Amino acid sequence: MKTNKMLFNFLNDCKIQVLSILLIIFCEINNVYAQDWQWQNPLPQGNDLNCVKFVNSNTGYSVGAGGTILKTINGGTSWTFQYSSSIVVLSSIYFTDANTGYASGLDYNTYKGIILKTTNGGNLWTILNSGFPFRLNSIYFTDSNTGYAVGGNTILKTTNGGTDWISQNSGTTVGLSSVYFTNANTGYAVGGNYDEGYPGPCIIIKTTNGGADWFTQTSLPGIMLESVYFSDSNTGYAVGGSGRFEGQAVILKTTNGGIDWIPSDSIDSWGLNSVYFTDSNTGYAVGGGATFLKTTNGGNEWIRQSLDSSYYYYSSYSSIFFTDADTGYTVGVNGTMLKTTNGGADWTSLSSSITNVSLTSVYFADTNTGYAVSSDYDSGGSILKTTNGGTDWIVQNTGTLKGLYSIQFTESNTGYVIGDSGTILKTTNGGSLWTRQNSGTVNDLRSVYFTDENSGYVVGDSGVLLKTFNGGTDWISQNSGTTVALSSVFFTDQNTGYVSGMGGTILKTTDGGTSWTKLSSITLSGLFYIFSVYFTDANTGYAIGRPNGGNDKIVKTTNGGTDWTSQTLKSDNLYLRSIYFTDSNTGYLAGGDFSQYGIGTIYKTTNGGADWTRQSIATPGYLVSIFFTDANTGYIVGDNGTILKNTTGGGVTGLNETPVAQKLLKTYPNPVKDKFILDSSGLTEKAQLAIFNVKGQKVMKLQISDSKTEIDISSLSTGVYFLKLINEKGVEEGKIIKE
């Protein structure tokens, strides 16, 4: 074929098959542009992981919240991100062969179940179907075409590799958590319901005719079953919990194909989420409270084994899988990943974290040197520092147990941190030593801002407003004219500054803080608490906050705060905490989204806030602070020790960046010499096209407004290029070869 010949010429006649090369390239490109914000802590990422499966001894997958799909090809030594969407949560994954796999879960936008499929080892995941009435908690295939998915009281079946899914009659109103088949016809599903935090009756149902009929085997009160597994055609196990929330561990066993289910003796552990057997005698179960159980006698006795956990009480393992008798994996909350090579005697962490506490502020003194501070109820505040652009972070000794909320450096070595109970810390040697300054107050301090190396301002609770003229040696109380809590301070020059806080308060000074005037407008009076204020020039500024009884919103002024107007965000129930602009038009919002289980969210504007677009990253907690070192390089920190980095200025990522079902870009001619036609009739207007080379570098970006557009790539060198077209309706992908 002509294409193959050109590819081989492009690869300098190397002896590797073209298909293998393309798969590798797709993997590289996928990891580059699927997610413009990259995790720096925890690693490889921090979203909860709900399921782990391996297709062979080296190749495995794990899925979870925030659309997370991770893949390893070296037995868990390293994991790479695959293309999914931040607006879904994935509960289960199953592969029918090395290349063909399925993932099920929930679409946050619709709160409906969703199923994804890959036919190339996860390089591309496409939506098979969505709109099922419940989150799909578990998926299982008996052969390459026949599969089942369960969620709510729904059982779905496909006989054509997921193209069509038919609802089966489960015969129950109880929610289903897990499904397992012992052969083509015989399968089991388990579940239960919660009533005000307490389990109702659990359910175990069985089919012997491929799901045409399901009948109840047992229903026990006060139990929630989460997982079912059979070690042979007759011997199976179902695990879960009893009591409030995760409760007491429950293990049921059958030796006669489910006719009888016998509970194990009382087990002193939290509720269980997953069970797996490597042979008829040896099995494992994991659950809440860092629970790890093992049996070597077919479940007659379960022994609790110890797993290292920095937060034992809060740790939870959701899934366990073994590739052989000795090698196993378990995953859980906050991206936890563990591996054993000796049957569970010892476990090694495949994930890492410098901290798990909530980070409240981030600031970079130069391109490589940055700091993040935290406030934690149990351990107080801490300061993290990086000297290589966030690749590595170390914990500094603050000398205080007070929670810390804001940090700023006036030059490479001199910085300030403020926090609880009037805490002000200063360093003059890049954080090697932090010394406490006398703030003159015991009120909690929330924000710090310096206009030069000597002049700085601090605001806090009870209307506290402090100023220093001498680099913090003395802090002088200023008359803010209010007693409400103040949360943010920002200056546009030496004399002009703004302070925001509760009651819709925005104060302004034009004389370096000698006097402060309260600004008011109809819009601002409707905001109960203004969390952050930011100005891009003397006249243009933004504030984010919460109306009394409404959703968080953003307001803008173009006349120095005299008037404020609301801007539109395409989501309800937002929880906004930080705003940052890199130029007059380009800005970012960070916070959370209540409508999507409280996940962290990022919005970007490129036109001064006229439009805000959500970016394709989700975190397990809220994001609270943003800082950019240049137009492209930025950092965001938040709950659970989250640190994110962006080196593309946010890219072209959009709100609905979800895989489009079985849909690829149409381009012609292909191969091409100088120009090709892009057929984008499947997407609406205001689309953006990004072109990447084989190294994952973005080489072109342009707006697409017509259904058919001529693209000039004469400036590009010969080779293979990958296309990504994005707008609010979805994403299309493709590739071209330039001769």
Side-chain angles (χ1 to χ4, degrees):
M1 292 176 61
K2 185 177 181 181
T3 300
N4 281 356
K5 183 177 180 180
M6 284 184 294
L7 278 172
F8 276 108
N9 289 336
F10 169 65
L11 296 168
N12 297 319
D13 296 321
C14 65
K15 303 300 182 181
I16 305 173
Q17 293 183 358
V18 174
L19 180 58
S20 298
I21 290 296
L22 287 177
L23 286 176
I24 294 172
I25 292 171
F26 268 120
C27 237
E28 292 176 350
I29 296 300
N30 184 55
N31 292 331
V32 171
Y33 68 69
Q35 192 165 273
D36 292 307
W37 289 92
Q38 305 296 323
W39 285 88
Q40 290 197 309
N41 189 71
L43 292 174
Q45 61 90 49
N47 284 301
D48 292 353
L49 295 174
N50 298 320
C51 186
V52 60
K53 295 282 177 65
F54 274 69
V55 297
N56 56 46
S57 60
N58 290 313
T59 304
Y61 300 82
S62 186
V63 299
T68 301
I69 303 178
L70 299 176
K71 179 180 180 178
T72 180
I73 58 173
N74 52 17
T77 301
S78 61
W79 297 80
T80 56
F81 285 89
Q82 296 197 312
Y83 179 55
S84 181
S85 167
S86 63
I87 55 175
V88 301
V89 56
L90 299 175
S91 304
S92 181
I93 190 167
Y94 195 96
F95 272 73
T96 57
D97 58 45
N99 293 313
T100 307
Y102 303 81
S104 66
L106 175 73
D107 184 337
Y108 280 134
N109 275 343
T110 62
Y111 287 95
K112 303 292 185 180
I114 191 171
I115 298 177
L116 307 178
K117 180 179 181 179
T118 181
T119 57
N120 54 14
N123 296 318
L124 177 65
W125 290 86
T126 56
I127 297 176
L128 289 181
N129 209 337
S130 61
F132 303 117
F134 300 101
R135 170 174 171 166
L136 297 174
N137 296 313
S138 180
I139 192 165
Y140 192 98
F141 274 72
T142 57
D143 59 43
S144 59
N145 291 311
T146 307
Y148 301 82
V150 301
N153 65 343
T154 298
I155 300 177
L156 304 174
K157 180 179 180 178
T158 181
T159 57
N160 54 12
T163 301
D164 301 293
W165 292 86
I166 307 301
S167 180
Q168 297 188 307
N169 182 13
S170 67
T172 180
T173 59
V174 175
L176 299 174
S177 303
S178 179
V179 60
Y180 190 96
F181 273 71
T182 57
N183 58 44
N185 293 312
T186 306
Y188 303 81
V190 303
N193 287 334
Y194 281 105
D195 182 13
E196 296 183 356
Y198 291 89
C202 74
I203 191 76
I204 301 178
I205 59 176
K206 179 180 180 179
T207 181
T208 57
N209 55 11
D213 301 290
W214 291 85
F215 57 91
T216 300
Q217 287 198 306
T218 189
S219 178
L220 300 175
I223 295 175
M224 177 70 184
L225 295 177
E226 301 285 0
S227 177
V228 60
Y229 188 94
F230 273 71
S231 57
D232 59 44
S233 59
N234 290 311
T235 308
Y237 303 82
V239 303
S242 65
R244 188 169 176 81
F245 302 116
E246 292 190 331
Q248 182 77 21
V250 171
I251 301 178
L252 305 178
K253 178 181 178 179
T254 181
T255 57
N256 53 15
I259 296 174
D260 302 295
W261 289 88
I262 309 300
S264 296
D265 293 337
S266 178
I267 300 168
D268 184 20
S269 75
W270 285 30
L272 301 172
N273 298 320
S274 180
V275 60
Y276 191 95
F277 272 70
T278 57
D279 58 43
S280 59
N281 290 312
T282 308
Y284 304 84
V286 295
T291 297
F292 174 80
L293 304 178
K294 179 177 181 179
T295 181
T296 56
N297 54 14
N300 294 327
E301 183 180 23
W302 292 85
I303 305 299
R304 178 162 186 159
Q305 296 185 302
S306 177
L307 294 181
D308 290 336
S309 175
S310 57
Y311 283 84
Y312 175 86
Y313 184 82
Y314 297 104
S315 293
S316 179
Y317 300 104
S318 57
S319 178
I320 189 166
F321 190 93
F322 274 71
T323 57
D324 57 44
D326 296 317
T327 308
Y329 303 82
T330 186
V331 300
V333 298
N334 296 332
T336 300
M337 310 176 80
L338 301 174
K339 177 180 180 179
T340 181
T341 56
N342 55 11
D346 302 290
W347 290 84
T348 302
S349 179
L350 302 177
S351 56
S352 63
S353 179
I354 187 66
T355 183
N356 293 315
V357 302
S358 296
L359 298 174
T360 53
S361 181
V362 60
Y363 192 95
F364 271 68
D366 57 45
T367 302
N368 293 311
T369 308
Y371 302 81
V373 301
S374 72
S375 174
D376 182 66
Y377 180 81
D378 294 318
S379 60
S382 60
I383 301 176
L384 308 180
K385 179 179 180 179
T386 179
T387 57
N388 54 12
T391 302
D392 302 290
W393 295 82
I394 59 172
V395 179
Q396 294 190 311
N397 180 18
T398 64
T400 180
L401 295 178
K402 303 297 184 181
L404 305 176
Y405 299 112
S406 182
I407 184 169
Q408 186 184 5
F409 272 68
T410 56
E411 51 93 17
S412 59
N413 290 312
T414 304
Y416 301 82
V417 174
I418 56 93
D420 284 338
S421 304
T423 299
I424 301 179
L425 304 178
K426 178 180 180 179
T427 182
T428 57
N429 54 13
S432 297
L433 177 65
W434 291 88
T435 57
R436 181 155 186 166
Q437 297 188 304
N438 181 19
S439 66
T441 181
V442 294
N443 286 288
D444 294 344
L445 304 178
R446 303 295 179 180
S447 181
V448 58
Y449 194 98
F450 273 74
T451 57
D452 58 38
E453 62 182 8
N454 291 313
S455 301
Y457 301 81
V458 168
V459 299
D461 292 354
S462 301
V464 169
L465 204 166
L466 308 176
K467 179 178 181 178
T468 180
F469 296 91
N470 52 15
T473 301
D474 301 291
W475 288 91
I476 301 170
S477 179
Q478 295 191 303
N479 182 16
S480 65
T482 182
T483 58
V484 303
L486 301 176
S487 57
S488 178
V489 56
F490 190 97
F491 273 71
T492 58
D493 57 41
Q494 289 291 113
N495 293 313
T496 307
Y498 301 81
V499 169
S500 68
M502 288 189 67
T505 298
I506 291 189
L507 309 177
K508 179 178 181 179
T509 181
T510 57
D511 54 15
T514 301
S515 60
W516 292 85
T517 302
K518 186 174 182 179
L519 303 179
S520 62
S521 73
I522 295 175
T523 301
L524 283 179
S525 64
L527 290 180
F528 173 70
Y529 201 120
I530 300 177
F531 297 107
S532 183
V533 62
Y534 194 101
F535 274 71
T536 58
D537 59 42
N539 293 310
T540 307
Y542 303 80
I544 56 175
R546 174 165 300 162
N548 195 357
N551 301 315
D552 283 15
K553 64 180 180 180
I554 180 171
V555 294
K556 178 179 180 178
T557 181
T558 56
N559 55 12
T562 302
D563 301 292
W564 298 82
T565 56
S566 294
Q567 296 191 308
T568 301
L569 292 169
K570 298 177 182 178
S571 179
D572 294 328
N573 299 314
L574 287 178
Y575 187 86
L576 301 176
R577 283 300 171 268
S578 185
I579 183 170
Y580 194 100
F581 274 74
T582 57
D583 58 43
S584 59
N585 291 312
T586 307
Y588 301 82
L589 293 174
D593 194 330
F594 285 117
S595 67
Q596 298 179 2
Y597 297 149
I599 64 172
T601 55
I602 304 170
Y603 281 79
K604 178 181 179 179
T605 182
T606 56
N607 54 15
D611 301 289
W612 290 91
T613 304
R614 182 171 167 179
Q615 301 201 291
S616 68
I617 183 70
T619 61
Y622 298 131
L623 301 172
V624 297
S625 182
I626 313 169
F627 191 90
F628 273 72
T629 59
D630 57 44
N632 292 317
T633 307
Y635 301 82
I636 293 181
V637 300
D639 292 346
N640 304 307
T642 296
I643 303 176
L644 306 174
K645 181 178 181 178
N646 191 318
T647 58
T648 63
V652 295
T653 307
L655 171 62
N656 291 321
E657 188 171 333
T658 55
V660 178
Q662 308 294 347
K663 197 168 189 179
L664 296 177
L665 272 178
K666 297 178 182 178
T667 59
Y668 55 89
N670 192 7
V672 59
K673 289 186 177 181
D674 296 318
K675 300 178 181 179
F676 68 91
I677 301 298
L678 172 70
D679 185 346
S680 56
S681 56
L683 296 181
T684 61
E685 295 183 357
K686 296 183 180 180
Q688 286 185 317
L689 175 70
I691 303 179
F692 301 84
N693 61 23
V694 294
K695 295 181 179 180
Q697 299 167 329
K698 189 184 298 179
V699 295
M700 288 184 66
K701 183 178 76 172
L702 59 157
Q703 296 286 334
I704 303 296
S705 57
D706 297 326
S707 59
K708 293 184 180 180
T709 307
E710 185 178 68
I711 309 296
D712 187 347
I713 59 170
S714 58
S715 61
L716 301 181
S717 58
T718 59
V720 179
Y721 293 89
F722 296 87
L723 313 178
K724 185 182 184 184
L725 186 69
I726 305 169
N727 78 346
E728 295 177 357
K729 290 280 182 83
V731 178
E732 292 188 15
E733 298 171 328
K735 78 173 185 297
I736 57 171
I737 301 170
K738 186 177 186 300
E739 295 178 324

